[in-house]
């Protein structure tokens, strides 16, 4: 029997009909019974008309930043991350097929190839340098992630190096999510908490690139 999940803070039914499951490749939440439960949850909402389209954003090469301080050579990190993404799709696509969820797969690299994401990332980097509140929020997100990895014994670089790479990762993820929001309004499904830097942007308290407000964050939790 598969586990069961629920989505917190779902928008009012009928307002947003496209969902995107963001997959952190390598995380146990996206394997086995757990990913099967997510597939069943998505299928139910396709059947009742909540969703009309379902995508899976395989965030594989985003991991290259973190691999760099986890003992993987910088030059090899992008290729290893991409291979892991390929294997994840091959391993888990059959689950969605079996449940009957007609998902479309998106890869992280496709978001990095366009000039729009690069431009947004540059704007965010500038904002990080000049806006104290944004820099503080990003730093809190980075610290939260890196310190958890250190406690698990996964960090093989100095804290300074790890924090720098994790900062690059956070800013890139915000840039991609902003670009995705500009392309189409959607519900983002993810089991983790929304980071502080994204919440700050959505609050409207800082002058950040527009687009993230069209991505409605829904946290998936186990029942």
């Amino acid at each position: 029997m598969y586990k069961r999940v629920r989505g917190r803070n779902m928008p009012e039914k009928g307002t947003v009909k496209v969902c995107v499951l963001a997959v952190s490749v390598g995380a146990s939440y996206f394997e086995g019974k757990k990913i099967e439960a997510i597939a069943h949850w998505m299928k139910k909402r396709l059947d009742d008309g909540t969703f009309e389209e379902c995508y899976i954003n395989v965030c594989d090469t985003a991991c290259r930043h973190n691999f760099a301080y986890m003992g993987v050579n910088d030059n090899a990190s992008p290729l290893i991350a991409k291979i892991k993404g390929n294997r994840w799709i091959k391993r888990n696509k059959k689950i969605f097929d079996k449940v009957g969820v007609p998902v479309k797969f998106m890869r992280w690299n496709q978001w990095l190839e366009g000039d729009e994401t690069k431009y947004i990332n540059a704007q965010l980097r500038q904002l990080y340098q000049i806006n104290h509140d944004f820099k503080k929020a990003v730093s809190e997100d980075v610290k939260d992630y890196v310190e958890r990895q250190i406690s698990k014994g996964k960090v093989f670089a100095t804290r300074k190096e790890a924090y720098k790479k994790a900062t690059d990762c956070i800013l890139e993820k915000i840039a991609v999510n902003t670009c995705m929001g500009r392309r189409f309004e959607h519900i983002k499904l993810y089991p983790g908490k929304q980071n502080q830097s994204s919440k700050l942007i959505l609050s409207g308290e800082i002058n950040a690139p527009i687009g993230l407000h069209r991505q409605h964050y829904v946290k998936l939790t186990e029942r």
Side-chain angles (χ1 to χ4, degrees):
M1 180 64 181
Y2 62 88
K3 296 176 180 292
R4 294 185 181 276
V5 298
R6 65 176 179 175
R8 294 187 175 180
N9 301 318
M10 281 285 291
E12 184 179 347
K13 186 175 178 179
T15 56
V16 185
K17 293 199 170 187
V18 179
C19 76
V20 177
L21 174 64
V23 170
S24 294
V25 176
S28 62
Y29 201 95
F30 300 101
E31 299 290 348
K33 295 296 183 182
K34 293 183 178 180
I35 194 67
E36 185 180 354
I38 293 173
H40 279 279
W41 185 89
M42 292 168 71
K43 179 64 164 63
K44 182 178 179 181
R45 279 141 194 85
L46 277 167
D47 290 344
D48 70 12
T50 301
F51 299 150
E52 291 183 351
E53 291 183 275
C54 293
Y55 294 84
I56 296 180
N57 192 26
V58 184
C59 309
D60 47 7
T61 50
C63 298
R64 74 191 187 282
H65 298 289
N66 301 329
F67 284 171
Y69 59 81
M70 292 180 179
V72 180
N73 182 280
D74 271 1
N75 293 328
S77 291
L79 178 59
I80 291 174
K82 186 176 181 179
I83 290 172
K84 287 180 177 290
N86 292 340
R87 290 175 177 172
W88 187 92
I89 293 174
K90 184 177 180 180
R91 188 167 61 249
N92 291 290
K93 182 180 184 298
K94 57 187 177 183
I95 292 177
F96 290 90
D97 290 341
K98 180 181 177 181
V99 174
V101 182
V103 295
K104 301 174 185 177
F105 290 91
M106 301 185 293
R107 302 295 292 271
W108 197 256
N109 274 355
Q110 79 180 67
W111 295 106
L112 301 182
E113 290 168 356
D115 291 336
E116 188 173 15
T117 299
K118 295 174 185 176
Y119 181 65
I120 295 170
N121 201 347
Q123 289 179 303
L124 290 169
R125 287 183 173 278
Q126 183 179 27
L127 185 65
Y128 177 81
Q129 294 297 328
I130 65 175
N131 188 289
H132 172 76
D133 291 336
F134 184 59
K135 186 171 186 176
K136 181 180 178 182
V138 171
S139 298
E140 288 175 356
D141 293 331
V142 167
K143 181 179 179 181
D144 180 57
Y145 180 78
V146 172
E147 294 303 322
R148 277 190 283 117
Q149 303 314 307
I150 289 175
S151 69
K152 296 175 184 177
K154 293 184 177 181
V155 176
F156 298 93
T158 64
R159 270 187 169 81
K160 183 178 180 180
E161 291 172 319
Y163 274 50
K164 182 181 183 303
K165 291 290 186 180
T167 299
D168 291 340
C169 187
I170 289 287
L171 293 175
E172 183 176 284
K173 285 183 176 180
I174 298 174
V176 167
N177 286 322
T178 300
C179 184
M180 199 183 305
R182 289 182 179 183
R183 300 285 177 84
F184 57 96
E185 188 169 11
H186 63 279
I187 293 169
K188 176 182 176 178
L189 306 173
Y190 192 71
K193 64 182 181 180
Q194 189 173 31
N195 60 42
Q196 294 299 314
S197 44
S198 292
K199 287 182 179 179
L200 179 61
I201 290 173
L202 291 170
S203 73
E205 295 176 7
I206 59 175
N207 187 24
I210 299 298
L212 201 61
H213 65 289
R214 283 166 51 85
Q215 182 181 82
H216 305 268
Y217 192 91
V218 172
K219 181 179 179 180
L220 296 177
T221 60
E222 292 187 40
R223 285 187 177 179

